[in-house]
Amino acid sequence: CTAPPPHSVLLQLHRRLCFRAAHPLLPGGWYLQSMGSYGEPAAKLRKTERMKRLMQVCILLYVVLYCMFYKSTHLRREPVTGDVYVDGWLPKLKTTTDVFSNLGYCSAQIQSADVQAGSCVKAIRQTAIDERPSPHTLFPGQSVLAAAAPEEVDGNVMVKIQPTGMVYLKDVQLCGAGSATTRRCGYVNDVDLQSFKGGNFIPTFVQVVHQKASCVDGSENIKTCQLDYKTTADYEQQLDEFFIGSIEQYQVQFTHTFESDTLGQRQMDQAEHFGIPSCAISMLYPFCYDASDGGHDMTSIGRLVGLIGQNLSNNNAETDHVGRRETFRTSGMKLHVQVKYSNLEDFWSWTGSGTVGYSYEVEQVPAESVWRSKTITRKEEMRAWVSGDMLANFGDHDRMLIWADGVEIRAHVSGHFGQLDLSSLLVLLASAGPLLFFSGALVSCMVGVEEGVDEDLDLGLPCSSDTYEGSGMSRMPLSGDSGSTGARGGDDAL
């Protein structure tokens, strides 16, 4: 305290500390009379101490509550890996198309009463005109005039057309119907619906194309020549297109395993199912757990898509169609499902002994279109996609192309397990020491800069007069002493 530093901020801190140290050693006979020049620094010191304590409490709360209990930064994180198996099947519905009549995205089937003599009807899929003696084909979009009201022939409702012939009522639509109502809903069995290669893909919209065979050398010897399948309009003709009816109810099953360095490899039934109720209790949640057959989680296409706030009838803004207008039902959608394992969900997880469990996160991956294709050469397999009457014009070497847009599901296991690490815990606690120390110095400097200190303040206390002007201190004469400033008397006076 005999050599104050020249820097102003340090000078202020120096004067406060020196005043505090000198306070109990004031010369005999002198006391703090009022909050004057020497009383004000004492009040400021008390304010500084309170601010120091507050900041130190905040630091401790941050280190203990936030870093240790909430974030568990002292735990050693082990990555979790594993495998996910995705399977699915259609719900148990009637396979007849009349069950789809109440679906908003399916075109209403034309009714017999809607067609009269002279009505214009157009084909919504390739269909054979039963015209004897030489039947021919009516292709999608081509229109004819009805010769009479529909009638039942051999168990099928047929429409007589002009000049001669008949077509199936289910294959035509009124000419005045918009293009949006010309797509019907169809049914395809589970095995063929999941026969597309390239991941877990569930079709929502299907186009069926007849591809005619030709010879590479241009000859007509189709039985012995090298076959060629051209893509021009003369060799490719669309037979049909339809939505997969009730695809939102398509059931999706997730089965997965997980593995870490400490726990090793385990099955999903050995973990807690965070936020996933039992399917026996409720199937209204996005996921439910079925303990049968080793355990698996169940959901549906509709519930998966609903988790990202979408439905298949919403517009896909990423499409390359004109005006970027196309529904997900025809463009397809790509979903990414994360199975996240953790043992940090419980309050006591800071000890590294939290409950091991998993949860799901679903996100949409932007895509212009999500589609698959397959080629079918056997007529028995073709019948899974179209009726037999559509194969009347197929040659022995012709083949069928299936183009499908749909929902692609990609899933993987991720996450971390926390294990108690004493060295990390000690480092975390030790880091609080320097923070507490520097916080005190920082507060002192901040208060000093904010409030300021008189540069002319002198902590040396003179003893040559009874009253010091502006100091707020006075001399109190002691009994038996007319002004003596003896050391012992000064202590008693204080």
Side-chain angles (χ1 to χ4, degrees), residues 78-85 256-271 341 356 417:
E78 292 183 356
V80 181
T81 58
D83 298 312
V84 186
Y85 306 93
H256 40 88
T257 61
F258 65 98
E259 182 179 2
S260 71
D261 294 339
T262 302
L263 299 180
Q265 187 173 13
R266 298 190 180 186
Q267 305 293 327
M268 62 181 294
D269 60 347
Q270 297 175 281
Y341 277 87
V356 174
F417 290 147

Side-chain angles (χ1 to χ4, degrees), residues 272-292:
E272 185 70 22
H273 322 293
F274 295 142
I276 303 175
S278 171
C279 294
I281 299 176
S282 174
M283 296 190 66
L284 300 178
Y285 286 78
F287 290 88
C288 67
Y289 177 71
D290 186 352
S292 63

Side-chain angles (χ1 to χ4, degrees), residues 50-122:
R50 288 194 297 268
M51 293 184 65
K52 287 181 183 179
R53 298 293 181 267
L54 178 61
M55 181 171 286
Q56 290 169 350
V57 169
C58 292
I59 291 174
L60 289 175
L61 291 176
Y62 172 80
V63 171
V64 176
L65 294 183
Y66 181 79
C67 295
M68 182 182 298
F69 287 96
Y70 180 64
K71 287 294 185 180
S72 300
T73 56
H74 63 290
L75 298 180
R76 174 171 51 86
R77 303 298 179 96
E78 292 183 356
V80 181
T81 58
D83 298 312
V84 186
Y85 306 93
V86 182
D87 197 6
W89 55 85
L90 285 170
K92 296 179 180 179
L93 299 174
K94 295 180 180 179
T95 58
T96 54
T97 56
D98 57 348
V99 301
F100 306 135
S101 59
N102 61 338
L103 300 178
Y105 54 86
C106 296
S107 61
Q109 298 294 323
I110 187 172
Q111 303 296 319
S112 298
D114 298 332
V115 181
Q116 303 295 330
S119 298
C120 176
V121 294
K122 62 181 178 181

